[in-house]
């Protein structure tokens, strides 16, 4: 092969995620090979998916004996990824000190980066004179050069397409139709194991391919039996997909003609002067294509959502797309209802991580193809929606911008606000950060003049903020009301007697967070993480909330084999049971947490039922604390206000303050006055006065002074180097000491303070010892430079990662 022949640099989408050079095959013109094209390439004895980054010709001949491997085949005729998207991935990789392939693999839906489903390779179909020929990738690779040239001509003529190997297994989606406990005999162990697996996957739905891959082909019979019993049902994988397909997407002019009337319709109520001023500024930025950041700071119920929706309408009418991000699926569902009521019939792309892989791939492809005709799109989703290829983006909105769910703290570390800021600059689009309790770093940036702030000072319609009081926990709680203090129990009964509704927040799911053995005095612990197992009564399981390990309950104590246990503490499942026993007859309690929303549609049904008044009390974890609007709710009880105050995080007080103020804001949003009761064991904590008075700025001043004294953000840049290895690895401690010397030397040279190594607050997880280093510096470049000292850390036993601006130290 010629040393100056056409070649490509590609990013691998699977380990080792490297950037490698390959020879481009004959039969395709040079212009065909565009950046962003997905490819199948050989690596070792297998095949991998990759993305073409650059093409070119070598300036000189290759060294003697040096031969590049050849790309097997392109996976599409036109790149699905734009130059802007590749630049996004490149900058993301630089920030996280990771290869581009690692970033792209985390950004793309699974179907766009996987070549093999189980044992089935991706297949390619070619049409020649009306006859179809199918080849899987290994068969295609083995063809002669002449045969491949013939197929290349067909591919270029549009007579070829990629078929997903085992595609029918990927599109067969199964969802739970019954909540635990399930009516099965203990001997039906495989059926029970299959139900438990599906329940644990989030919103209770998985594909048949996933079942076969994770559990094995022996579960096919169990799947059929559960379908026959009605415990599972087959679902439409594209149920939430927009009606239009990539083949018939309209151009921008046709789209605007169709939807202009609904977008120009007046809002249900007139915006107040503060809302109008914010909207006018944002519209001006959007039309001018200026990438500026704005903080929309307003109390709960101040009408931030109305500003978001009107900005989306203005953006779409200008022919640009809008992206609206929220931290959690529950809030996304509420906002979807708001959009559908404000703009009936308007197409909406709804995207989140609980959807099927097939649906997420379909949405990604639709939006990528939409870019060609530049028809605008309205996209609503959680943080991963930032990785969609969105046409002509004109506005980005992050609602509840302070929320920790915008930071991903596992596998692929990223902060959605940082990525949104970059995309804002790419497209020349305003970035709106909305919150009643902004991130301290965001509010500090606004005070310093780095971003502009719009204030919404009062509730829409003139409503008053709820009255907040403290209820001491401990003495006086009854055996019937459980965790509720006497004052809370009385207020709850009075609220229901008036025909009103109440919400109770307890950010701890399950029945009991620990099970204590009455014989030997130990608690049931996870063998992988060495933390207490949580008892889930309806599932009859002890579950680790970190690695997912579970075991049946009752089962013998691992230490003394006794079966006498005492449940310690109280989770949402136990509190629900207690409430049912002491509330008036006929009063209904709904529970909203991950366990009660294990089936498709559960979350929507619970929120809708409570909104219709079918229950008097809504109990749940933090997913009910933000954004929901129930006018008949006049009482909010925060059952364990201290829960987050004492965790080992520098921002523990900030997170607690934000959660409690947001949860308090669910009360008194209608015409009736609201009340909030915060239960605490530490009524003297400085945080409570600020929560009681809804005084964000007072809390901010106090918190800022503490952080300046201890050198925490926003006065310093912060990063964590996380490191783990198996306990049985004898060389682990010595290697850890060696890495410490490298890090500290690099820190001294670059002006970065390196603290550690210290055991992580949870020192064991998933069977690995965990350590971390805290890096404090004045700029990210220096911090990344310190991390680069670990570039040659031996792989295998060690796992090392860099978490820029960590959301939690745990």
């Amino acid at each position: 092969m010629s040393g100056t022949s056409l070649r490509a640099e590609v990013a691998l989408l699977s380990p080792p995620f490297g950037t490698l050079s390959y020879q481009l095959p004959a039969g395709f013109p040079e212009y065909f090979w565009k950046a962003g094209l997905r490819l199948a390439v050989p690596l070792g004895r297998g095949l991998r998916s990759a993305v073409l980054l650059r093409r070119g010709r070598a300036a000189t001949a290759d060294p003697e004996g040096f031969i590049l491997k050849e790309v097997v085949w392109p996976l599409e005729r036109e790149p699905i990824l734009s130059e802007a998207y590749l630049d996004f991935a490149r900058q993301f990789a630089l920030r996280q000190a990771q290869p581009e392939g690692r970033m792209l693999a985390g950004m793309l839906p699974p179907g766009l980066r996987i070549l093999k489903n189980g044992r089935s390779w991706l297949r390619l179909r070619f049409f020649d004179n009306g006859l179809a020929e199918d080849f899987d990738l290994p068969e295609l690779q083995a063809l002669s050069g002449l045969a491949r040239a013939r197929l290349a001509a067909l591919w270029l003529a549009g007579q070829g397409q990629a078929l997903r190997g085992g595609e029918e297994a990927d599109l067969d989606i199964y969802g739970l139709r019954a909540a635990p406990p399930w009516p099965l005999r203990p001997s039906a162990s495989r059926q029970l194991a299959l139900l438990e697996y599906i329940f644990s996957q989030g919103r209770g739905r998985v594909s048949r391919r996933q079942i076969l891959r994770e559990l094995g082909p022996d579960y096919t019979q169990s799947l059929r039996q559960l379908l026959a019993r009605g415990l599972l049902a087959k679902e439409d994988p594209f149920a939430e997909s927009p009606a239009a397909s990539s083949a018939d997407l309209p151009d921008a002019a046709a789209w605007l003609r169709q939807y202009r009337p609904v977008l120009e319709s007046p809002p249900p109520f007139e915006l107040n002067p503060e809302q109008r001023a914010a909207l006018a500024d944002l519209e001006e930025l959007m039309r001018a294509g200026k990438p500026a950041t704005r903080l929309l700071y307003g109390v709960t119920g101040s009408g931030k959502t109305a500003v978001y929706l009107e900005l989306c309408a203005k953006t779409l009418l200008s022919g640009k797309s809008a992206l609206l991000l929220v931290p959690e699926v529950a809030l996304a569902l509420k906002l979807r209802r708001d959009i559908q009521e404000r703009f009936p019939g308007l197409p909406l792309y709804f995207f989140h991580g609980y959807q099927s892989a097939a649906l997420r791939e379909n949405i990604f492809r639709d939006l990528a193809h939409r870019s060609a005709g530049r028809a605008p799109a309205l996209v609503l989703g959680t943080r991963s929606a930032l990785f969609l290829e969105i046409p002509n983006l004109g506005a980005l909105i992050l609602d509840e911008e302070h929320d920790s769910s915008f930071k991903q703290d596992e596998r692929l570390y990223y902060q959605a606000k940082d990525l949104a800021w970059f995309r804002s600059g790419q497209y020349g689009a305003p970035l709106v950060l909305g919150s009643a309790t902004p991130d301290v770093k965001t509010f500090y940036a606004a005070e310093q003049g780095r971003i502009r702030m719009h204030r919404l000072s009062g509730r829409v319609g003139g409503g008053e903020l709820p009255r907040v009081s403290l209820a001491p926990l401990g003495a006086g709680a009854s055996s019937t009301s459980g965790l509720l203090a006497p004052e809370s129990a009385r207020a709850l009964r009075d609220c229901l007697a008036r025909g009103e509704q109440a919400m109770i927040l307890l950010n701890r799911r399950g029945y009991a967070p620990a099970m204590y053995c009455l014989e030997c005095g130990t608690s049931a612990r996870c063998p992988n993480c060495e933390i207490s197992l949580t008892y889930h009564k309806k599932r009859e399981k002890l579950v680790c909330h970190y690695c997912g390990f579970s075991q049946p309950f009752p089962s013998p104590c691992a230490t003394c084999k006794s079966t006498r246990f005492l449940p310690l503490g109280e989770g949402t499942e136990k509190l629900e049971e207690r409430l049912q026993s002491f509330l008036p007859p006929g009063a209904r309690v709904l529970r909203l947490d991950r366990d009660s929303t294990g089936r498709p549609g559960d979350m929507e049904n619970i929120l809708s039922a409570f909104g219709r008044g079918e229950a008097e009390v809504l109990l749940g974890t933090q997913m009910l604390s933000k954004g929901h609007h129930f006018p008949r709710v006049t009482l909010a009880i925060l059952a364990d206000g201290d829960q987050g105050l004492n965790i080992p995080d520098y921002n523990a007080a900030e997170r607690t303050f934000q959660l409690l103020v947001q949860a308090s804001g669910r009360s008194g949003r209608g015409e009736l006055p609201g009340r909030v009761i915060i239960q605490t064991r530490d009524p003297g904590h400085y945080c409570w006065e600020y929560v009681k008075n809804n005084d964000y700025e007072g809390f901010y001043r106090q918190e800022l002074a503490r952080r300046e004294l201890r050198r925490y953000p926003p006065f310093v840049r912060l990063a964590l180097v996380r490191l783990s290895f198996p306990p049985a690895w004898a060389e682990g401690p010595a290697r850890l000491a060696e890495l410490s010397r490298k890090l500290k030397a690099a820190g001294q040279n670059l002006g970065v303070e390196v603290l550690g190594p210290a055991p992580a607050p949870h020192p064991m997880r998933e069977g690995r010892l965990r350590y971390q280093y805290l890096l404090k510096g004045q700029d990210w470049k220096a911090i990344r430079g310190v991390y680069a000292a670990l570039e040659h850390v031996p792989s295998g036993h060690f796992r090392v990662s860099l978490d820029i601006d960590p959301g939690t130290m745990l």
Side-chain angles (χ1 to χ4, degrees):
M1 296 182 185
S2 169
T4 58
S5 56
L6 193 62
R7 58 189 56 193
E9 281 189 36
V10 309
L12 296 177
L13 298 181
S14 56
F17 299 112
T19 299
L20 304 178
S21 295
Y22 284 88
Q23 189 89 14
L24 288 171
F28 295 89
E30 184 171 346
Y31 67 79
F32 172 81
W33 302 105
K34 301 171 185 173
L37 202 66
R38 292 181 307 122
L39 311 169
V41 299
L43 185 69
R45 297 182 179 180
L47 299 175
R48 305 291 185 89
S49 59
V51 171
L52 195 155
L53 301 177
R54 289 166 289 277
R55 74 162 194 269
R57 296 182 184 274
T60 59
D62 294 325
E64 186 70 26
F66 180 87
I67 299 176
L68 286 180
K69 290 187 176 182
E70 188 173 87
V71 168
V72 174
W73 203 259
L75 303 180
E76 57 219 2
R77 280 186 296 279
E78 291 293 332
I80 198 170
L81 307 179
S82 66
E83 291 276 9
Y85 195 89
L86 293 181
D87 186 44
F88 178 32
R90 190 174 304 118
Q91 297 301 322
F92 187 16
L94 287 172
R95 175 175 172 78
Q96 300 302 124
Q98 294 284 339
E100 287 176 65
R102 176 71 184 89
M103 299 297 101
L104 284 165
M107 294 162 66
L108 297 176
L112 295 177
R113 52 182 167 83
I114 294 174
L115 297 182
K116 196 174 183 182
N117 282 334
R119 298 178 181 178
S120 302
W121 284 99
L122 182 143
R123 299 183 66 80
L124 298 136
R125 176 167 294 170
F126 299 87
F127 299 93
D128 192 0
N129 294 320
L131 298 177
E133 298 178 80
D134 286 3
F135 302 89
D136 67 22
L137 286 170
E139 290 170 342
L140 196 64
Q141 185 183 25
L143 292 176
S144 68
L146 189 61
R148 284 160 58 88
R150 180 180 69 87
L151 296 179
L154 293 173
W155 188 265
L156 292 168
Q159 298 302 305
Q161 64 186 58
L163 303 173
R164 173 65 58 195
E167 186 175 53
E168 71 289 344
D170 200 35
L171 296 183
D172 285 350
I173 303 295
Y174 299 96
L176 289 174
R177 284 297 172 265
W182 295 290
L184 293 173
R185 293 189 300 273
S187 59
S189 56
R190 281 189 176 166
Q191 293 180 48
L192 286 167
L194 179 52
L195 289 171
E196 279 288 344
Y197 173 73
I198 296 175
F199 186 85
S200 70
Q201 296 306 297
R203 305 201 79 196
R205 49 188 290 164
V206 297
S207 68
R208 183 162 67 90
R209 178 175 65 85
Q210 188 176 348
I211 293 170
L212 298 179
R213 184 183 69 235
E214 298 295 330
L215 301 181
D218 293 343
Y219 280 79
T220 302
Q221 178 64 21
S222 299
L223 182 60
R224 285 197 290 265
Q225 291 168 337
L226 292 172
L227 286 168
R229 289 175 175 267
L231 296 177
L232 290 181
K234 191 172 180 181
E235 297 189 350
D236 179 4
F238 304 114
E240 295 177 339
S241 185
S245 70
S246 58
D248 59 6
L249 290 169
D251 61 22
W255 191 92
L256 285 170
R257 281 195 301 272
Q258 183 173 357
Y259 296 108
R260 183 179 296 277
V262 69
L263 291 170
E264 290 182 338
S265 63
F269 56 84
E270 185 177 354
L271 300 184
N272 64 35
E274 290 177 330
Q275 290 172 312
R276 290 199 299 271
L279 179 60
D281 175 46
L282 295 169
E283 183 182 0
E284 181 182 348
L285 291 172
M286 179 271 296
R287 293 191 183 280
K290 292 184 178 179
T293 302
R294 295 289 189 263
L295 171 60
L296 188 61
Y297 165 49
V299 298
T300 56
S302 60
K304 294 183 288 293
T305 300
V307 177
Y308 302 154
L309 298 189
E310 297 315 304
L311 175 60
C312 289
K314 303 288 187 186
T315 303
L316 294 167
L317 284 168
S318 73
K320 299 179 180 180
S321 297
L323 172 59
L324 218 170
L325 296 178
V326 293
E328 294 179 352
V329 175
L331 186 52
L333 292 167
K334 180 262 181 189
L335 203 50
R336 182 175 65 171
R337 290 194 300 272
D338 292 342
I339 291 171
Q340 290 168 340
E341 290 175 6
R342 175 66 185 91
F343 307 117
L346 183 71
L348 173 68
Y349 286 89
F350 188 52
F351 189 89
H352 57 80
Y354 287 146
Q355 294 167 321
S356 69
L359 174 55
R360 281 178 282 145
E361 180 182 347
N362 193 53
I363 292 172
F364 192 102
R365 288 182 180 276
D366 269 7
L367 286 166
H369 284 105
R370 199 179 190 96
S371 298
R374 302 184 70 79
L378 178 57
V379 182
L380 167 65
T382 51
R383 65 186 179 221
S384 58
L386 268 171
F387 298 134
L388 293 169
E389 179 79 279
I390 300 174
N392 195 20
L393 192 59
L396 291 91
I397 301 164
L398 269 72
D399 189 26
E400 310 293 359
E401 67 87 27
H402 65 276
D403 196 280
S404 60
S405 294
F406 278 127
K407 177 66 193 291
Q408 178 156 304
D409 287 314
E410 55 186 16
R411 297 187 299 275
L412 184 66
Y413 296 110
Y414 68 89
Q415 168 55 259
K417 277 186 290 188
D418 294 342
L419 300 186
W421 177 84
F422 179 79
R423 301 216 82 179
S424 165
Q426 269 193 316
Y427 287 93
L431 170 61
V432 184
L433 305 176
S435 180
T437 54
D439 184 331
V440 164
K441 298 190 291 293
T442 302
F443 202 82
Y444 183 76
E447 277 203 328
Q448 297 297 304
R450 295 200 294 271
I451 63 177
R452 183 175 169 185
M453 177 166 58
H454 290 286
R455 292 175 182 263
L456 304 181
S457 55
R459 282 191 159 183
V460 170
E464 295 295 323
L465 290 168
R467 175 170 57 92
V468 181
S469 61
L470 300 179
L473 269 178
S478 72
S479 59
T480 52
S481 59
L483 185 60
L484 293 188
E487 179 184 348
S488 302
R490 285 193 301 271
L492 182 58
R493 290 194 191 96
D494 292 344
C495 173
L496 270 56
R498 295 192 300 268
E500 297 162 5
Q501 291 178 301
M503 296 175 72
I504 303 175
L505 172 72
L506 177 59
N507 203 21
R508 186 167 55 238
R509 65 189 178 95
Y511 189 85
M515 292 297 282
Y516 179 78
C517 177
L518 293 173
E519 294 294 331
C520 68
T522 62
S523 61
R525 303 181 76 81
C526 174
N528 304 320
C529 305
E530 294 189 354
I531 63 170
S532 294
L533 295 171
T534 299
Y535 176 40
H536 290 253
K537 187 174 183 179
K538 288 190 176 179
R539 293 172 64 187
E540 299 176 332
K541 291 277 186 180
L542 296 176
V543 180
C544 174
H545 287 177
Y546 288 93
C547 74
F549 170 84
S550 67
Q551 66 184 46
F553 187 84
S555 54
C557 171
T559 303
C560 69
K561 308 306 178 186
S562 168
T563 56
R564 297 177 63 232
F565 284 89
L566 175 69
L568 294 179
E570 193 157 335
T572 50
E573 191 179 3
K574 186 175 182 180
L575 183 54
E576 178 190 26
E577 186 179 275
R578 301 261 200 184
L579 288 171
Q580 297 283 14
S581 68
F582 94 96
L583 288 178
R588 187 181 176 198
V589 178
L590 290 173
R591 177 163 54 91
L592 186 72
D593 58 21
R594 185 173 176 181
D595 296 329
S596 68
T597 56
R599 296 173 296 168
D602 277 346
M603 189 181 295
E604 299 93 318
N605 293 338
I606 291 169
L607 292 171
S608 297
F610 189 68
R612 292 191 301 269
E614 296 177 13
E616 288 72 29
V617 179
L618 179 61
L619 161 70
T621 54
Q622 66 177 11
M623 63 172 63
L624 62 74
S625 67
K626 297 175 287 289
H628 303 295
H629 179 79
F630 300 112
R632 289 185 55 219
V633 170
T634 59
L635 177 65
I637 298 173
L638 313 181
D640 192 351
D642 309 316
Q643 188 176 354
L645 277 178
N646 298 312
I647 61 174
D649 267 338
Y650 76 91
N651 55 5
E654 178 188 8
R655 285 192 174 185
T656 299
F657 174 84
Q658 289 165 338
L659 177 65
L660 298 183
V661 170
Q662 291 287 338
S664 299
R666 300 316 103 204
S667 177
R669 295 174 72 95
E671 297 179 357
L672 297 171
R675 183 184 180 190
V676 177
I677 300 175
I678 300 173
Q679 302 190 154
T680 175
R681 299 172 184 84
D682 183 14
H685 195 283
Y686 76 89
C687 185
W688 302 135
E689 282 304 308
Y690 299 117
V691 175
K692 286 169 62 177
N693 298 320
N694 196 53
D695 183 8
Y696 169 78
E697 293 184 47
F699 172 81
Y700 163 79
R701 303 281 172 219
Q702 175 98 331
E703 185 70 9
L704 202 66
R706 291 170 178 267
R707 294 193 188 183
E708 186 172 21
L709 180 65
R710 294 173 175 82
R711 290 189 70 238
Y712 279 111
F715 301 102
V716 72
R717 308 289 192 191
L718 204 65
L720 274 180
V721 175
R722 302 182 190 271
L723 186 148
S724 69
F725 56 86
W729 189 37
E731 296 180 32
R735 292 293 182 91
L736 185 64
E738 180 184 341
L739 293 183
S740 297
R741 288 191 292 271
K742 288 184 177 181
L743 277 176
K744 291 180 184 292
Q748 189 170 11
N749 291 335
L750 294 169
V752 174
E753 185 180 3
V754 179
L755 302 175
H762 292 152
M764 176 81 80
R765 189 177 294 179
E766 298 182 25
R768 299 180 67 85
L769 289 172
R770 302 169 69 238
Y771 291 86
Q772 56 195 34
Y773 299 84
L774 185 63
L775 310 185
K776 290 183 175 183
Q778 292 304 313
D779 64 83
W780 296 124
K781 183 178 180 181
I783 285 175
R784 283 191 286 268
V786 172
Y787 180 68
L790 304 181
E791 185 177 1
H792 301 297
V793 170
S795 58
H797 294 296
F798 264 135
R799 292 179 191 167
V800 183
S801 62
L802 176 66
D803 186 0
I804 295 280
D805 192 17
T808 176
M809 303 292 179
L810 302 181

